[in-house]
């Protein structure tokens, strides 16, 4: 999954260098990157992934691109804030109700 997301964000940044150049994406770019990541994960067979811009209530820096992929009894949680840096990811347990993120 990390590779699919990295390929998608790299391609988006290549098409529009201002999209990801040096530091966190600007607000308008975030929505485009969310769509790129969502499409990449769907293409990798993970259409149930949740992809959004992280808020202060999320387990990622506010403003980062956050994605969560449910797996059997676990979740892959990942985010990218600075597009000059690698994706940060972890496999975590589900919430008591079985989901991966609240809200």
């Amino acid at each position: 999954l990390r590779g699919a997301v990295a390929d998608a964000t790299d391609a988006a940044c290549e098409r529009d260098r201002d999209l990801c150049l040096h530091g966190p994406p600007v607000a308008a770019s975030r929505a485009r990157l969310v769509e790129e990541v969502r499409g990449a994960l769907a293409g990798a067979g993970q259409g149930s992934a949740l992809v959004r811009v992280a808020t202060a209530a999320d387990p990622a820096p506010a403003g980062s691109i956050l994605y969560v992929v449910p797996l059997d009894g676990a979740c892959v949680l990942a985010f990218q804030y600075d597009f000059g840096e690698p994706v940060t990811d972890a496999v975590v347990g589900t919430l008591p109700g079985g989901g991966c993120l609240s809200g």
Side-chain angles (χ1 to χ4, degrees):
L1 299 178
R2 184 186 302 164
V5 170
D7 289 348
T9 56
D10 288 350
C13 293
E14 189 63 33
R15 285 191 305 275
D16 182 356
R17 291 197 182 274
D18 291 337
L19 188 64
C20 305
L21 193 60
H22 303 296
V26 296
S29 300
R30 289 181 187 138
R32 290 176 37 209
L33 288 172
V34 164
E35 291 307 314
E36 294 282 346
V37 171
R38 187 175 287 131
L41 290 170
Q46 300 300 325
S48 62
L50 171 68
V51 184
R52 67 183 186 208
V53 177
T55 67
D58 286 321
S64 63
I65 305 301
L66 169 68
Y67 67 92
V68 181
V69 180
L71 301 172
D72 292 327
C75 306
V76 174
L77 182 140
F79 67 87
Q80 190 164 18
Y81 185 71
D82 184 334
F83 288 86
E85 298 296 321
V87 170
T88 300
D89 60 2
V91 176
V92 298
T94 61
L95 296 172
C100 291
L101 275 182
S102 60

